[in-house]
């Protein structure tokens, strides 16, 4: 989840934690954005996160609600080769429990927006994105999870937004590389207008499992209190249907597997 420290979050960190407690959560991961990918290419529109202020407030809130909820100290790193050194340096200094590695930008453009396709075909856009995700798996810093795999499909202006059938070879290569590296796949329920309960699409999640992948993380990607736990039951049901018996959390620098109930 993300708070106002991420720039695009609408509620304070403490309000997010209170809401999670009220919804019965026993565990959450706060994963504020670190927008070095935008800064490295001078992309406008992404606020710079004050990691020092985030850390100070996180520790205050974590202490205040000790015994009521477990809170993982996390960060979401935006991958861009130009940002590798800064990402690595900030990560080494942070001491984070949980690190998400996400692709938002490709060659200086945010592929979230429909306008990314104004001068590209769907195939060109999707191939660009998948190549960037594959490249991100060799980033020179540690990470636990690939975030919102399928980000480019959230607002792509096409009736058919399947990211597997025509791109099977590279999608399979990404999943195999993740499995070999012990990297978890996130089932991200912030799908926007994408036609599925989570990203990546069901067929990709099933392929990950069929290839031997066992590390799956449910993530609401909440940016407001009302988004916490969105579609959780539906996503957990999907994971069971795809053959998973456990889901994964990260806390105090350690990975834990919890039964899917």
């Amino acid at each position: 989840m993300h708070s106002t420290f991420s720039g695009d979050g609408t509620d304070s960190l403490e309000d997010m934690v209170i809401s999670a407690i009220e919804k019965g959560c026993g565990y959450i991961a706060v994963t504020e954005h670190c927008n070095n990918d935008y800064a490295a290419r001078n992309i406008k529109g992404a606020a710079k996160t004050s990691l020092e202020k985030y850390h100070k407030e996180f520790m205050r809130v974590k202490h205040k609600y000790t015994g009521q909820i477990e809170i993982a100290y996390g960060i979401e790193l935006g991958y861009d080769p130009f940002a590798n050194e800064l990402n690595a340096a900030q990560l080494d200094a942070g001491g984070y429990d949980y690190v998400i590695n996400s692709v938002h930008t490709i060659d200086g453009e945010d592929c979230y927006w429909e306008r990314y396709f104004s001068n590209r075909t769907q195939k060109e856009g999707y191939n660009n994105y998948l190549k960037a995700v594959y490249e991100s798996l060799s980033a020179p810093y540690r990470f636990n999870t690939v975030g919102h795999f399928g980000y480019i499909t959230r607002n792509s202006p096409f009736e058919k937004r399947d990211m597997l059938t025509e791109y099977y070879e590279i999608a399979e290569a990404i999943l195999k590389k993740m499995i070999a590296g012990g990297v978890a796949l996130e089932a991200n329920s912030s799908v926007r207008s994408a036609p599925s309960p989570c990203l990546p699409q069901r067929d990709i999640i099933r392929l990950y499992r069929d290839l031997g992948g066992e590390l799956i993380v449910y993530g609401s990607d909440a940016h407001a209190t009302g988004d916490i736990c969105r579609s959780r039951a539906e996503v957990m049901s999907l994971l069971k249907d795809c053959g998973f018996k456990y889901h994964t959390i990260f806390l105090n620098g350690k990975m834990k597997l919890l039964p899917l109930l």
Side-chain angles (χ1 to χ4, degrees), residues 105-212:
T105 64
I106 305 168
D107 296 328
E109 291 187 69
D110 192 330
C111 65
Y112 171 82
W113 303 107
E114 184 175 331
R115 63 176 176 265
Y116 182 75
F117 293 95
S118 61
N119 59 348
R120 296 176 180 87
T121 66
Q122 181 178 13
K123 191 168 186 177
E124 288 171 334
Y126 280 28
N127 273 323
N128 288 348
Y129 172 76
L130 289 164
K131 288 176 183 177
V133 173
Y134 185 84
E135 183 181 79
S136 77
L137 295 174
S138 297
Y141 45 80
R142 72 174 181 89
F143 52 90
N144 305 108
T145 302
V146 168
H148 50 56
F149 184 34
Y151 177 78
I152 195 170
T153 69
R154 278 180 172 172
N155 292 306
S156 62
F158 309 103
E159 182 178 353
K160 184 179 179 182
R161 285 181 270 184
D162 172 28
M163 203 180 66
L164 181 61
T165 305
E166 293 188 40
Y167 314 93
Y168 186 93
E169 185 174 340
I170 187 168
E172 182 185 48
I174 289 168
L175 299 177
K176 285 183 174 179
K177 193 169 183 179
M178 288 174 59
I179 294 166
V183 176
L185 179 65
E186 181 193 37
N188 184 305
S189 64
S190 177
V191 296
R192 302 299 189 269
S193 60
S196 59
C198 65
L199 295 176
Q201 66 195 65
R202 178 190 294 266
D203 291 345
I204 290 177
I205 292 176
R206 186 177 293 277
L207 176 60
Y208 173 77
R209 182 69 192 95
D210 290 346
L211 291 170

Side-chain angles (χ1 to χ4, degrees), residues 78-123:
Y79 172 78
D80 185 289
F82 286 17
N84 278 343
E85 289 187 12
L86 188 53
N87 277 344
Q90 291 184 334
L91 189 60
D92 287 343
Y96 298 99
D97 294 315
Y98 180 44
V99 181
I100 302 174
N101 184 29
S102 296
V103 170
H104 302 108
T105 64
I106 305 168
D107 296 328
E109 291 187 69
D110 192 330
C111 65
Y112 171 82
W113 303 107
E114 184 175 331
R115 63 176 176 265
Y116 182 75
F117 293 95
S118 61
N119 59 348
R120 296 176 180 87
T121 66
Q122 181 178 13
K123 191 168 186 177

Side-chain angles (χ1 to χ4, degrees), residues 16-76:
M16 296 292 282
V17 171
I18 291 170
S19 180
I21 293 170
E22 290 174 346
K23 292 181 180 183
C25 295
Y27 164 90
I28 55 173
V30 182
T31 55
E32 305 294 5
H33 285 293
C34 182
N35 295 319
N36 293 326
D37 48 342
Y38 296 90
R41 303 276 188 165
N42 294 315
I43 303 173
K44 296 180 180 180
K48 182 176 177 60
T49 300
S50 173
L51 297 180
E52 291 182 4
K53 290 181 179 178
Y54 164 41
H55 175 75
K56 183 177 180 179
E57 177 65 0
F58 177 90
M59 296 308 295
R60 184 190 73 82
V61 171
K62 182 179 176 69
H63 177 73
K64 182 175 180 179
Y65 295 97
T66 296
Q68 297 183 59
I69 191 169
E70 297 276 12
I71 312 174
Y73 181 44
I75 192 167
E76 182 174 354

Side-chain angles (χ1 to χ4, degrees), residues 1 27-29 31 98-100 144-149 178 182-189 198-200 205 208 214-221 232 235-236 239 244 246-250 255-258 260:
M1 61 176 61
Y27 164 90
I28 55 173
T31 55
Y98 180 44
V99 181
I100 302 174
N144 305 108
T145 302
V146 168
H148 50 56
F149 184 34
M178 288 174 59
V183 176
L185 179 65
E186 181 193 37
N188 184 305
S189 64
C198 65
L199 295 176
I205 292 176
Y208 173 77
E214 295 182 334
L215 306 180
I216 193 83
V217 176
Y218 161 77
S220 68
D221 201 357
R232 187 180 187 279
V235 172
M236 291 300 190
L239 298 184
F244 290 93
Y246 302 92
H247 68 106
T248 309
I249 66 168
F250 297 86
M255 178 177 68
K256 296 182 180 181
L257 299 180
L258 303 179
L260 280 171

